Amino acid sequence: MWRRIRDGAKALLHLWATGTPHQRRLILLLALLGVGLAGVAGLWGYYLTTRKPLSAVLPSAPAVAEAFKPRYLFSIYGVDRPVGVAVSPDGERIYVAESGGERKVHVFDRKGERLFTMATAETLAERTPVYVEVDGQGRIFVSDRRQHTVFLFDPEGNPLGQMAPPPGETFWAPLGIALGPERIYLTDITRGMHRVLVYTQDGQFVQAFGTEGKDPGQFWYPNGIEVDPEGRIYVTDSNNGRLQVFDASGELLYRLGGFNLPRGTAMDDQQRLYVVDAVGQRVVVYGLFAQPMELLFDFGDLGLGDGQFNYPNDIAADTTGRLYIADRENNRIQVWAY
Amino acid sequence: MRRWHMLIFLLLGVVLVLPTTAVADNGPHQGDFNPTTDACAGCHRAHRGQTDSLLVESSQSALCYSCHGTGASGADTNVQDGVWEGAQGTGQGLRGGGFDFAVMDPEADGNPVSGSTTSVHDIEVAGTVWGHGSVSSTANPGKADVVLQCGSCHNPHGITGGDAYRILRPKPKDSDAAQEVLVPDDQTKIYTISYTNNNYRDHTYLDGKNISQWCAQCHTRYLAGDTQDTGDAIFKHGHVTDDNSRKCMACHVAHGTSAVMDGAYSSAVEWPDGSPPQSGTQNSRLLSVNNRGVCYQCHESP
């Protein structure tokens, strides 16, 4: 082989010495091409032998998320000890359930101007709205701890009726609400049978899962609930200080701890799940792109100032990047944005 | 020999189970405590506590209200509204009344209603502990500037030495009491009021003498064994309170009442130190019935 190369080189030198100018240019081009190919091969070989994995070069998902934390914008005042908050998908209306004052559901516009209020019962003593949600049709769902049911209102606040307990049961205590594309999910704290209830969009009971207790899959005052596009159900098992994740059939997938008193939840369109830790005075954010979920970051601390919490209880996220947090003891709704 | 082994194992099992049994119903806040527990940090900070109980937050009542407040999404006992949320309908009244509202029967007609409280055991603000101190021929207006919190009377972790009624501390904070008074619990929890039997007097399972002794850990000079002259400069004569029929809770509620004192006499009763009452409606002194209707509950034929 070396002889062939050597003979080839001699032939090229001979041709270079005796050839025409055209032949010489051709030889020059071939030589440059050879050097170029050798250089590329050398660089490629160097890259293949020294390269680092992509994960070592790029920042991690939490690090990226940390760099894009939401920031405090302003607060909506004029509510008394708010415990529930929801926002319409287009971000134009904010719904707030207050546990103090008149104990009404206040509806605000995006700028924080009050539009109207709704009451779940005639007298103050008879009503205690807690969690509120709104679906794509503008229907407003409000759970009431005193009335032991979930009320429905149309987008203008006119009563549409209320949901019913599972068949054969006369007493229930629904609390958290999640509105999936096909199902309505409720947390229920009926004494002795804390659980999750699943209904169709027109209010027909489908199934219940979970029992009261502290073991995996059991509940002790479940509060917030969300459902992701894959049908996974996320429940804050409040008094057990954990978040439990179930598949669509109600089988426990996994659970996450580390909360003081997890309460309300929200999910945005960027695959982020928000959990309000009422006693931890913070909002914990998870990424849904990995399962089990990856902790991205948390925000907030105890205080009376802007962006500080005093027993927050619920959160809502719209499609414009805004977050609304019911800051209970500070008597306000905090508005944050990315 | 095998029988002896079985007996030893059985006894060992009993010994291991006994402490668990003792605390099993000794307070509803028994979390997942074990040698590597995460539960303590739910409420406490070892070095950055904001109150003397090393609580993570500065307001103890706000912490308690997170579960026991209006909305009560972490408990059925809503002490802010004085309502038991675990019952059908719009809630039954708690025996202790409530701090903001109370579901009571102040008209004593068997029709309980929810009303704003007119007097409460003030929490988070400085107040006077009336009747605090030993019986004395020298006037003593009580202990001033005492700030009550939920934890002054209740121990969320439970009580050492046995199950305690409503996890009441045998020695309330700031009581200066020398002895402990354990109010035994009843295994059948009864949180609500029977409105058909003179309302708040229906503590059939509660030893009246015992609960009065507990109240007297702070309100020392109200505890009276008979109606003779006590020799006290202020609390000279009083109702007998250390028996089962005339316990403190026959007339008073612990948290707050919605009873209204709008009668000419009831609204003008001065405080123990002789200072005038604040106003008619705020002068209910934690009594469970309007005006002095509590008198009529026992003395039905005046």
Side-chain angles (χ1 to χ4, degrees):
Chain A
M1 183 175 176
W2 284 110
R3 179 178 289 178
R4 286 184 179 178
I5 294 173
R6 189 179 61 195
D7 292 344
K10 280 183 178 178
L12 282 173
L13 285 173
H14 177 73
L15 191 60
W16 176 267
T18 60
T20 63
H22 175 73
Q23 288 172 325
R24 285 184 179 181
R25 282 198 295 273
L26 190 62
I27 291 168
L28 187 62
L29 280 172
L30 284 172
L32 287 173
L33 185 63
V35 171
L37 283 172
V40 169
L43 285 173
W44 185 247
Y46 175 78
Y47 168 72
L48 288 177
T49 53
T50 60
R51 67 172 178 168
K52 293 178 180 177
L54 201 58
S55 58
V57 179
L58 296 176
S60 64
V64 173
E66 181 74 21
F68 293 98
K69 276 185 174 181
R71 68 187 190 285
Y72 173 81
L73 285 186
F74 66 97
S75 285
I76 301 172
Y77 288 90
V79 289
D80 196 328
R81 293 205 300 267
V83 287
V85 63
V87 59
S88 59
D90 61 3
E92 290 302 317
R93 284 189 174 183
I94 298 95
Y95 307 84
V96 181
E98 62 176 6
S99 65
E102 290 296 308
R103 300 181 184 183
K104 288 184 174 178
V105 175
H106 298 254
V107 184
F108 298 91
D109 68 13
R110 190 174 170 79
K111 293 180 289 186
E113 298 290 330
R114 195 190 321 270
L115 300 175
F116 58 90
T117 60
M118 301 177 292
T120 48
E122 193 169 332
T123 66
L124 191 148
E126 294 174 319
R127 61 183 182 245
T128 307
V130 183
Y131 288 110
V132 56
E133 285 295 331
V134 58
D135 70 7
Q137 306 167 45
R139 292 188 303 174
I140 306 155
F141 294 69
V142 184
S143 64
D144 191 293
R145 185 80 167 98
R146 188 66 43 80
Q147 289 291 325
H148 301 279
T149 192
V150 173
F151 291 97
L152 273 73
F153 298 87
D154 71 12
E156 301 311 313
N158 301 306
L160 292 176
Q162 55 186 277
M163 296 183 70
E169 298 181 20
T170 55
F171 179 72
W172 66 330
L175 199 64
I177 306 164
L179 303 175
E182 298 175 359
R183 296 281 188 264
I184 298 168
Y185 303 84
L186 305 175
T187 55
D188 180 41
I189 55 172
T190 301
R191 191 165 181 78
M193 46 198 302
H194 296 183
R195 59 192 172 171
V196 169
L197 302 174
V198 186
Y199 288 79
T200 62
Q201 285 289 354
D202 59 356
Q204 299 301 309
F205 176 74
V206 177
Q207 70 169 110
F209 64 84
T211 56
E212 183 173 326
K214 298 180 179 180
D215 291 336
Q218 291 189 305
F219 299 112
W220 194 21
Y221 287 94
N223 268 241
I225 184 166
E226 295 293 331
V227 58
D228 72 12
E230 278 70 45
R232 285 182 287 259
I233 303 160
Y234 304 80
V235 184
T236 55
D237 186 17
S238 190
N239 285 17
N240 281 329
R242 65 192 179 189
L243 178 74
Q244 300 201 92
V245 184
F246 301 85
D247 67 15
S249 66
E251 289 294 316
L252 178 67
L253 296 174
Y254 59 91
R255 55 204 162 98
L256 300 171
F259 298 97
N260 296 62
L261 191 67
R263 285 283 170 85
T265 52
M267 194 175 288
D268 69 11
D269 58 356
Q270 300 298 312
Q271 295 199 67
R272 286 180 291 232
L273 178 76
Y274 303 84
V275 180
V276 174
D277 190 347
V279 174
Q281 314 289 351
R282 61 186 181 141
V283 175
V284 185
V285 188
Y286 292 95
L288 297 173
F289 40 78
Q291 291 291 338
M293 293 184 298
E294 190 171 0
L295 174 65
L296 298 180
F297 56 86
D298 62 34
F299 62 91
D301 62 351
L302 172 67
L304 309 179
D306 290 348
Q308 292 185 305
F309 299 128
N310 200 0
Y311 294 96
N313 202 72
D314 196 17
I315 185 169
D318 68 14
T319 54
T320 70
R322 272 193 178 187
L323 302 171
Y324 298 87
I325 299 140
D327 189 12
R328 192 188 86 209
E329 292 297 317
N330 280 333
N331 298 310
R332 65 186 177 188
I333 299 297
Q334 290 197 27
V335 185
W336 291 58
Y338 286 97
Chain B
M1 195 65 178
R2 178 168 287 182
R3 287 183 178 176
W4 280 108
H5 282 164
M6 287 185 65
L7 186 62
I8 290 170
F9 276 118
L10 188 64
L11 286 172
L12 189 62
V14 170
V15 168
L16 288 172
V17 165
L18 269 179
T20 309
T21 307
V23 299
D25 197 29
N26 202 14
H29 308 87
Q30 302 285 342
D32 186 17
F33 298 111
N34 56 57
T36 57
T37 183
D38 182 50
C40 306
C43 298
H44 299 280
R45 292 290 179 271
H47 304 289
R48 294 182 293 112
Q50 298 299 303
T51 67
D52 57 358
S53 301
L54 296 178
L55 286 176
V56 66
E57 310 309 345
S58 55
S59 170
Q60 193 180 103
S61 64
L63 173 66
C64 300
Y65 282 167
S66 291
C67 290
H68 295 282
T70 306
S73 50
D76 287 330
T77 43
N78 174 358
V79 300
Q80 213 167 355
D81 293 341
V83 174
W84 170 253
E85 305 279 14
Q88 181 90 42
T90 55
Q92 292 177 289
L94 290 175
R95 288 180 179 274
F99 287 99
D100 290 352
F101 295 89
V103 179
M104 301 180 68
D105 183 16
E107 295 283 351
D109 59 1
N111 295 308
V113 293
S114 175
S116 299
T117 50
T118 52
S119 65
V120 297
H121 248 128
D122 282 320
I123 51 175
E124 305 289 354
V125 295
T128 300
V129 182
W130 298 110
H132 182 88
S134 56
V135 171
S136 170
S137 58
T138 306
N140 174 357
K143 186 176 183 180
D145 298 325
V146 173
V147 179
L148 282 183
Q149 294 179 307
C150 306
S152 301
C153 298
H154 304 279
N155 187 340
H157 297 145
I159 305 299
T160 304
D163 292 348
Y165 178 74
R166 306 296 192 259
I167 49 175
L168 291 175
R169 291 183 185 276
K171 195 184 290 185
K173 289 184 177 178
D174 289 318
S175 66
D176 304 326
Q179 303 293 325
E180 292 191 341
V181 174
L182 177 69
V183 183
D185 197 10
D186 189 276
Q187 292 304 310
T188 304
K189 302 287 186 186
I190 303 174
Y191 291 98
T192 54
I193 296 303
S194 167
Y195 296 106
T196 58
N197 186 17
N198 285 329
N199 306 302
Y200 290 83
R201 292 198 296 138
D202 182 30
H203 291 73
T204 52
Y205 65 91
L206 197 58
D207 184 322
K209 183 176 180 178
N210 185 245
I211 192 69
S212 295
Q213 287 175 335
W214 186 83
C215 297
Q217 291 282 66
C218 290
H219 304 287
T220 323
R221 292 149 87 191
Y222 284 90
L223 188 66
D226 55 48
T227 56
Q228 300 300 309
D229 184 345
T230 62
D232 192 287
I234 296 176
F235 304 92
K236 192 173 183 179
H237 291 273
H239 262 81
V240 176
T241 52
D242 70 343
D243 69 5
N244 272 332
S245 65
R246 282 160 283 186
K247 55 205 171 194
C248 303
M249 291 167 70
C251 299
H252 301 278
V253 297
H255 290 164
T257 179
S258 56
V260 176
M261 306 295 129
D262 54 2
Y265 307 118
S266 302
S267 63
V269 177
E270 69 281 1
W271 289 99
D273 64 352
S275 58
Q278 298 134 318
S279 70
T281 55
Q282 294 177 7
N283 204 25
S284 53
R285 313 288 170 88
L286 294 172
L287 292 167
S288 60
V289 184
N290 286 348
N291 293 310
R292 288 303 181 266
V294 291
C295 303
Y296 194 81
Q297 300 302 305
C298 293
H299 307 284
E300 293 179 2
S301 302

